Structures are given as C-alpha cells and as structure tokens.
Amino acid sequence: MNIILLGAPGAGKGTLASKIVDEYKLPHISTGDIFRENIKNQTPIGVVAKSYIDKGQLVPDEVTCQIVEERLTREDCKNGYMLDGFPRTNAQAEALDKITNVELVINIDVDFSLLMGRLCGRRVCKDCGESYHITRLNGATTCSRCGGELYQRKDDNPETVQSRLDVYNAQTAPLIEYYTKQGKIFNVNGSTTPEDVFEKVAEKLNALRK
Ligand code: AP5
C-alpha cells in the first residue's frame, strides 16, 4: 500500500500514523520528523530547516523533495509506505507523481477551532515520537509506550501555530482538490476520537489490502 496522510497541523496525522504502523507495518515517513532529527544532529539540512520551521513556514520544495525521493528508494519501501506531512505543495505532489504511484490519500478533516488547543497542549516523546495531549496524560511526564521523557515542540506556541495554519490554508489545502481529481481521496472526520478515526481508516485499508 502506498498511502499519504493529509491534514492541517494538529489534525492527528502522527496519532493515526502510529496506529497504522502497529497494524499494517508500513514504513512511516514523516518529513517533520526527518527535519527534527536533522535539527537535533545539527546537519546542514537541519540548519536550513530550522530557519523555516521556527517561523511556521514550509521548508523549500527542493530540499524536501530530495529527502523524500531518496527515502522512497530504500529497501523497506518496496512493498509500500505511508507518507505523513508530504506533499504539502502542488510542486511536491507533482514531483511525487513522477517517481511513485500513490494509491490512497487519507484526508483528516478537522474543525479548525480545535487545532490551536490540540497543538498547544501536545507533548511528544523524545525517544519514540509518540504524541499525547495534556488532557489525556493525567499528569504523566513519560511515554506510556517506551518510558521516554515528554517534551513540548518549539513550534507548538500560539504565534507559530497560527502561521502554520495560515500556510496550510494557502499552500496545502489545495491538494485536496488535486487528489480528488485523481480519485484518490478518502475523507475521514478527525474531530472525533483517535480510536474512531483509526476504525474508519482501517475499514478502508482492509478493503484496499484485499
Ligand atoms: P510536521 O511535524 O509534519 O507538523 P504538522 O503538519 O504541523 O503536523 P503536526 O505534527 O503538528 O500535527 P499532526 O497532524 O501530526 O497531529 P498529532 O497527531 O500530533 O511539520 C513541522 C514543520 O516541518 C512544518 O511546519 C514545516 O515547517 C516542516 N515541514 C514538514 N513537512 C514539510 C513539507 N512536506 N514541506 C515543507 N516543509 C515541511 O496530534 C496533535 C495533538 O492532538 C496531539 O496532542 C494529539 O494527542 C491530539 N489529537 C490527535 N488526534 C486527536 C483526536 N482525534 N481527538 C483529540 N485529540 C487528538
């Protein structure tokens, strides 16, 4: 299965991805995670990416496309992959169409008024990247999966979140139409619980797998 997770910042792409990985064993390719790893290791890509991510802007297409193209050639993607956060612009979608056949685009559709609260209350595991929300943590400060320490992402502050939402509306939302025209969109209501979202998506993926 070659699938894409599409949705606004905070729609629940990472949360859904974690459940899909557990059930379907697809390699999870998150461009946001790749950039954060590069920033942590202070690589040249990390230095460039940081200057955009800290302002809530997109990293330039050339840099992002090159990373994804290289990643998709690796052995673990031979039988499928799950892209999370890529593509985000028309140019990225067109570049992807040239190198691979996308089968399904899962568009997580969420009431915009929920997103600011979800992102500013998010905590992420330093070790495995699992996402949590403070309202579900009951005061815990470590990851229930691996025991890692939880932290707040630097771009999860009100000002940067607003800029990420504006960028999504201007540059990424048009991809819904792009993939609708290709007949590949599967819309799921992301304003319900993570468990409900996964249940709906699993029905679709099971049908695709047959
Ligand atoms: P990235 O890391 O991809 O961030 P994002 O798209 O802004 O998405 P998030 O990770 O913030 O949200 P999510 O949808 O995964 O939500 P989550 O599941 O964590 O990108 C970061 C930056 O990198 C970008 O701003 C850009 O600069 C750069 N970048 C990345 N890709 C790029 C590209 N292709 N081109 C150029 N630049 C790129 O959930 C959020 C919170 O909500 C959590 O607390 C979670 O517990 C909670 N939650 C999730 N689902 C539910 C639910 N159903 N009900 C209640 N709460 C929920």
Side-chain angles (χ1 to χ4, degrees), residues 87-138:
R88 284 190 203 230
T89 63
N90 259 295
Q92 292 180 11
E94 284 163 10
L96 190 65
D97 277 343
K98 288 191 184 134
I99 56 164
T100 183
N101 176 35
V102 173
E103 291 173 84
L104 184 72
V105 179
I106 299 167
N107 177 43
I108 312 177
D109 185 19
V110 178
D111 181 344
F112 251 62
S113 65
L114 296 174
L115 299 176
M116 184 64 80
R118 279 194 186 181
L119 290 170
C120 293
R122 171 168 56 186
R123 298 294 180 271
V124 182
C125 175
K126 260 186 181 157
D127 295 336
C128 74
E130 185 74 1
S131 275
Y132 297 88
H133 195 271
I134 43 172
T135 52
R136 286 184 156 213
L137 276 171
N138 296 321

Side-chain angles (χ1 to χ4, degrees), residues 9-10 36 53 55-57 88 119 122 153-157 159-169:
R36 281 185 288 279
I53 292 177
K55 288 185 265 182
Q57 294 170 359
R88 284 190 203 230
L119 290 170
R122 171 168 56 186
R153 266 170 50 174
K154 209 181 159 201
D155 57 348
D156 281 347
N157 64 77
E159 195 188 335
T160 313
V161 167
Q162 190 54 57
S163 144
R164 288 159 62 196
L165 295 176
D166 293 344
V167 166
Y168 167 81
N169 279 326

Side-chain angles (χ1 to χ4, degrees), residues 67-84:
I67 287 174
V68 173
E69 283 179 27
E70 185 280 322
R71 182 65 187 84
L72 289 179
T73 61
R74 291 199 208 159
E75 189 64 22
D76 64 342
C77 295
K78 259 175 90 178
N79 296 318
Y81 55 78
M82 172 174 50
L83 283 168
D84 163 1

Side-chain angles (χ1 to χ4, degrees), residues 3-5 7 11 17-18 33 39 52 68 74 89 92-93 106 111-112 151 154 167 171 174 176 182-183 195 208:
I3 64 177
I4 290 175
L5 303 186
S18 160
D33 286 349
I39 292 171
Y52 292 92
V68 173
R74 291 199 208 159
T89 63
Q92 292 180 11
I106 299 167
D111 181 344
F112 251 62
Y151 78 104
K154 209 181 159 201
V167 166
Q171 300 195 55
I176 298 172
Q182 294 189 1
E195 293 73 23
L208 190 70

